[in-house]
Amino acid sequence: MLRVLLGISGGIAAYKGVEVLRGLQREGAEVRVAMTAAAQKFVQPLTFEALSGNRVYTELFPEAGDPEVIHVRLGEWPHLILIAPATANVIGKMANGLADDLLTCTVLSSEAPVMVAPAMETAMYRHPASQRNLQRLADMGYRLIGPEEGALASGSSGMGRLADPQRIVAEAVSSAVTFGDLSGRRIVVTGGRTEEDIDPVRFITNRSTGKMGYAVARRARQRGADVVLVSGPGNLDPPAGVDLIRVRTVSEMRAATESSFEGSDALVMTAAVLDFRPRVVSDAKIKKNANGMTLDLVPNDDFLVGLGARKHGRIVVGFAMETENGLANAQKKRVEKYLDLIVLNNLNESGAGFGVDTNVVTLIDGGEVEPLPKMSKLEVADRILDWVKDRWT
Ligand code: CTP
């Protein structure tokens, strides 16, 4: 799990630190917060404490009876230090190696990569001292995010606004490529449902929401892989840092998946692809009819079979959605679709399947059948990715 030390320094944008914290947590990161004295004038530490579920670090000197050197311990903990917002003052201190409070001391004593999201008035930002300090940070290998143009606290508008919190979160998550256990790998994930039109106003689809596929894409990215997520329609927040390709029909999903699969190391096919489509799509709305109507459906191609057959050493994971004879059907699908692993979803279990955040699955490879207990979809994603990673090592 990505561990981020979030440093909040004292500008009005300190309140946006809350959005950054929430965004990081949504991505599954564990976050600890350190605040400067000035930041605490804008936002109470209690806000961050309640939201992070951890104490907020503010004091350089331990309380009486606490023998630990806090900044050293805190500096060893994170994979990434993210300072958002970073004021001109904190930037100046970091650029010059000053360490007169807990946050700057921790930065100086840590070996973790540092990301800095500056926020200040335009004139302060343009000042040669700030520009020189920012350049120094960049030269030291610190990554700068923003600032952006826009409305400022003074009421004016210009350069210096804190970068959009979502962008900050995406860049922080993407930094995992440097240490994650899947770094250097490229993984294609399909997720969600497909739709097929009947006429201009009607279509057929299924109940898949995409939660499982989004969880696999999110965890793969957090573990450092380059991820392409081919997603059917739905309204889930896309995982930060993945290449999202939105599709609707099976043929669109097929085209996007086939082209992404070139140059990738693995495919995890969680999508609930429609097996049938109407033989003809009416150009005009079909009128009602007292005798009812029969929908003539033709089979869609199962493109997973084709991809499995020409995988050439790449890993292909499929899913099986079953309501009866799950194990036998899934084993058969694994062989028929040339899959390395099939993940059996049993719709009869409570807490499994469509629209919920948990799942109950069984992992089936050539030799073993491993039933997993009920767990979050993020945990299921990790188990699948662990299996894939073991194949590579
Ligand atoms: N799949 C596919 N193309 C299809 C149907 C399914 O690529 N037209 C993939 C799914 O993404 C999944 C796997 O095949 O990874 C199994 O899907 P599932 O719906 O369980 O099985 P089907 O092969 O459709 O068989 P059935 O509907 O008869 O159970």
Side-chain angles (χ1 to χ4, degrees), residues 4 8 44 83-85 151 160 166 169 178 241 252 275 296 304 310-311 316 318 329 336 368 383-384:
V4 182
I8 311 281
Q44 288 286 319
I83 314 221
Q166 276 186 16
V169 169
T178 53
E252 287 169 11
D275 289 327
D296 186 9
L304 186 54
R310 2 178 252 281
K311 63 187 174 184
V316 179
N329 284 336
E336 285 171 357
E368 280 184 51
R383 301 296 281 265
I384 295 166

Side-chain angles (χ1 to χ4, degrees), residues 92 95-96 125 127-139:
N96 292 285
Y125 177 68
H127 194 284
S130 301
Q131 288 299 316
R132 184 200 58 210
N133 289 335
L134 286 165
Q135 187 57 49
R136 270 197 186 174
L137 293 186
D139 292 344

Side-chain angles (χ1 to χ4, degrees), residues 54-360:
N54 278 315
R55 64 179 277 203
V56 169
Y57 298 84
T58 53
E59 301 304 324
L60 181 55
F61 298 104
E63 285 171 20
D66 183 353
E68 279 185 299
V69 183
I70 293 178
H71 66 274
V72 173
R73 185 166 47 92
L74 196 55
E76 285 168 352
W77 177 79
H79 294 120
L80 172 72
I81 298 178
L82 169 63
I83 314 221
T87 58
N89 183 46
V90 161
I91 288 168
K93 287 202 262 183
M94 292 190 299
N96 292 285
L98 299 181
D100 66 347
D101 64 3
L102 180 67
L103 179 59
T104 48
C105 234
T106 305
V107 170
L108 208 56
S109 62
S110 177
E111 288 177 2
V114 183
M115 277 192 177
V116 175
M120 63 197 79
E121 288 292 319
T122 310
M124 289 176 92
Y125 177 68
R126 293 239 167 91
H127 194 284
S130 301
Q131 288 299 316
R132 184 200 58 210
N133 289 335
L134 286 165
Q135 187 57 49
R136 270 197 186 174
L137 293 186
D139 292 344
M140 291 193 303
Y142 287 26
R143 177 107 165 262
L144 302 176
I145 311 172
E148 294 177 354
E149 288 232 18
L152 298 168
S154 61
S156 63
S157 176
M159 195 57 163
R161 190 182 156 86
L162 181 74
D164 179 44
Q166 276 186 16
R167 178 179 155 209
I168 296 174
V169 169
E171 299 218 11
V173 169
S174 299
S175 75
V177 292
T178 53
F179 62 81
D181 63 348
L182 300 177
S183 95
R185 298 291 184 176
R186 190 173 175 80
I187 302 180
V188 181
V189 182
T190 66
R193 57 184 180 263
T194 59
E195 294 176 353
E196 296 292 344
D197 287 334
I198 298 170
D199 69 12
V201 293
R202 305 176 180 99
F203 58 88
I204 52 173
T205 187
N206 62 49
R207 291 181 196 278
S208 171
T209 60
K211 284 190 170 181
M212 192 62 240
Y214 277 53
V216 173
R218 178 166 270 137
R219 293 300 294 145
R221 182 62 191 152
Q222 286 169 6
R223 291 172 62 167
D226 276 328
V227 179
V228 179
L229 172 60
V230 180
S231 168
N235 48 17
L236 298 177
D237 285 337
V242 311
D243 289 335
L244 179 70
I245 306 179
R246 289 193 185 277
V247 296
R248 233 192 116 225
T249 61
V250 174
S251 72
E252 287 169 11
M253 184 170 275
R254 174 186 189 144
T257 308
E258 286 182 347
S259 66
S260 311
F261 192 50
E262 300 291 318
S264 73
D265 300 294
L267 168 66
V268 182
M269 183 83 191
T270 74
V273 183
L274 282 188
D275 289 327
F276 303 99
R277 67 178 186 281
R279 180 181 299 279
V280 274
V281 179
S282 169
D283 288 338
K285 183 184 164 203
I286 300 170
K287 301 301 281 179
K288 78 173 161 243
N289 168 347
N291 300 324
M293 74 172 272
T294 303
L295 201 54
D296 186 9
L297 299 175
V298 292
N300 275 326
D301 299 322
D302 188 329
F303 61 90
L304 186 54
V305 180
L307 288 171
R310 2 178 252 281
K311 63 187 174 184
H312 304 304
R314 288 167 291 183
I315 307 245
V316 179
V317 178
F319 272 63
M321 180 67 83
E322 304 289 345
T323 51
E324 53 197 3
N325 300 329
L327 220 49
N329 284 336
Q331 263 156 339
K332 191 159 163 271
K333 279 180 196 170
R334 193 188 73 78
V335 174
E336 285 171 357
K337 301 190 187 206
Y338 310 93
L339 306 176
D340 298 284
L341 176 73
I342 192 155
V343 182
L344 168 62
N345 240 313
N346 190 333
L347 275 189
N348 301 328
E349 301 267 0
S350 79
F354 300 128
V356 290
D357 289 321
T358 53
N359 215 351
V360 187

